[in-house]
Amino acid sequence: MLRPNPNYEKLKDSFLFYETKLRANDWQEAHPETRLLKLGIGDVTLPLAPAVIEALHKAVDEQARAESFHGYMPELGTAFMKRAAAANYARLGVTLEPDEIFVSSGIGEELGAVGSLFARENRVAVVEPAYPAYVDTNLMEGRTVVPIPGTEENGFLPLPFPGLEAELVYLCSPNNPTGAAYSREGLRRWVDWANEHGAVILFDAAYEAFITEPDVPHSIYELDGAKNCAIEWSSLSKSAGFTGTRLGYTAVPKALVRAGKSLHAMWVRNRSTCTNGVSYILQRAGEAALSEEGLRQSRANLAVYQKNAQLLTAALDACGLRYVGGKNAPYVWCRCPDGMGSWSFFDLLLDRAGVMGTPGVGFGACGEGWFRFSCFGRPEDCAEAAERLKALLKD
Ligand code: PLP
């Protein structure tokens, strides 16, 4: 008889966004006269850059004519998109060969797929609070997950410690949900630890475009030795508004070898077996997003989100609430007032101010008592939310 994967039993219900939406909808129904201000969801609200739209139209027209029509794309990505991604790395001072870069439909799709490179016995360390898919994809494959708690004391940027036993470690910097970002020194400690222990770092760079501080690396490959120990995920979702368009890329350097096996060669084998390439049209859009013009245009959108973060952090300062984030990431991670739990604060903000955020405990147990504000909302909503927060919480 067929046996479904028993590891799915270990997953918690993905209750966080469902429950927050349910409570917010109920509140809005009960208060039709007040506009609900949604600072909960980590999704962009501003449109694609004009250069991207132009490239999309052009690529669609190419598909309409026999002489310019494209069928299947190369499984590992087109030469033009790999070159665009390699050029983007070069802007950071990082040299990667185009064939060390694999074009993807975004990080979400890669998170589960990469697990296929590693045996089930490997122990997985996840810096928490974390994007929930790091834990869930590994539980699905039957791996043991060891949480490494981020706390106010370590600035939500824990470092490797003596006795840490793991072969894989997930790092996300700048971080969702905390907005905290590792300095060069902090990342160097992780790279050295991974190389000393023969471990592999899975580095999520989804929010690198939001970095404003000079000491925060945009890519783990800015650190010496990182090509020997790290896989890095990049995405245009948040940097260029591609959440609904879908494009990203994954770097697996040729220098990444474990137990005599080239993880690069294994990933080539994986992608050429498990994918049929990413849409030609979207790769042209990605190329345009990474052009000088595309980057300049997207930066104007990022500035809007960054301004939202400034408004929110100024309001939290005025209320005397502690927080991290907002400087190098579109998230502000705030301590709930008066020892409140994450869900109690969620209810308080919703009931008394019509502001919706996300309870921190949904990102791991160490997020209890914390709360995430997303800065991707509309500027007028963020400005209004800042005023409502002050009216409710400033004494
Ligand atoms: N990684 C992190 C940390 C995220 O916050 C998100 C989306 O919110 C993703 C990955 C997913 O990115 P993508 O849209 O490229 O699948």
Side-chain angles (χ1 to χ4, degrees), residues 149-177:
T151 60
E152 194 167 20
E153 289 66 43
N154 60 32
F156 294 97
L157 296 167
L159 295 172
F161 50 89
L164 170 58
E165 294 197 355
E167 287 73 40
L168 290 167
V169 59
Y170 283 74
L171 298 180
C172 176
S173 176
N175 185 272
N176 176 14

Side-chain angles (χ1 to χ4, degrees), residues 29-306:
E29 247 173 53
H31 301 84
E33 71 297 342
T34 314
R35 204 157 59 83
L36 175 68
L37 304 175
K38 294 183 184 166
L39 306 185
I41 308 296
D43 197 0
V44 293
T45 48
L46 293 168
L48 295 170
V52 172
I53 296 296
E54 195 184 315
L56 280 167
H57 282 301
K58 189 160 166 262
V60 168
D61 288 343
E62 280 180 59
Q63 293 297 72
R65 290 187 301 270
E67 61 278 15
S68 54
F69 173 77
H70 295 269
Y72 282 124
M73 290 289 99
E75 295 98 334
L76 312 178
T78 56
F80 65 77
M81 181 56 211
K82 282 159 171 272
R83 266 199 310 271
N88 205 40
Y89 270 119
R91 289 183 185 105
L92 307 175
V94 170
T95 307
L96 281 172
E97 293 172 28
D99 66 351
E100 293 178 297
I101 295 170
F102 300 77
V103 179
S104 75
S105 300
I107 298 177
E109 290 81 339
E110 301 279 287
L111 285 174
V114 83
S116 143
L117 296 181
F118 306 106
R120 203 166 60 85
E121 296 70 47
N122 292 298
R123 293 158 299 183
V124 182
V126 176
V127 168
E128 287 194 342
Y131 187 59
Y134 305 155
V135 172
D136 287 353
T137 51
N138 280 290
L139 291 181
M140 284 174 186
E141 297 201 356
R143 293 201 188 84
T144 302
V145 176
V146 186
I148 304 183
T151 60
E152 194 167 20
E153 289 66 43
N154 60 32
F156 294 97
L157 296 167
L159 295 172
F161 50 89
L164 170 58
E165 294 197 355
E167 287 73 40
L168 290 167
V169 59
Y170 283 74
L171 298 180
C172 176
S173 176
N175 185 272
N176 176 14
T178 66
Y182 280 102
S183 67
R184 202 162 297 276
E185 172 57 17
L187 271 193
R188 190 189 61 70
R189 295 273 296 275
W190 276 112
V191 167
D192 289 351
W193 173 86
N195 280 325
E196 277 159 28
H197 289 77
V200 169
I201 295 173
L202 298 166
F203 190 79
D204 187 336
Y207 295 98
E208 68 78 21
F210 291 85
I211 292 170
T212 59
E213 293 180 317
D215 189 39
V216 175
H218 289 246
S219 162
I220 196 164
Y221 303 124
E222 291 177 46
L223 283 294
D224 286 343
K227 285 188 193 165
N228 301 101
C229 67
I231 289 176
E232 179 167 280
W233 288 302
S234 298
S235 170
L236 299 184
S237 283
K238 308 299 165 77
S239 60
F242 271 55
T243 52
T245 304
R246 313 299 303 144
L247 200 79
Y249 48 94
T250 299
V252 187
K254 291 180 184 162
L256 182 51
V257 175
R258 288 290 178 265
K261 299 277 179 223
S262 159
L263 294 188
H264 176 270
M266 288 171 71
W267 192 237
V268 169
R269 186 73 176 84
N270 176 294
R271 294 291 80 186
S272 37
T273 304
C274 303
T275 81
N276 264 338
V278 176
S279 146
Y280 170 75
I281 297 167
L282 300 186
Q283 294 195 63
R284 282 294 182 203
E287 180 191 31
L290 294 179
S291 68
E292 292 296 339
E293 195 189 9
L295 289 170
R296 191 170 41 73
Q297 291 169 349
S298 291
R299 270 198 288 271
N301 286 359
L302 298 184
V304 171
Y305 301 136
Q306 281 159 340

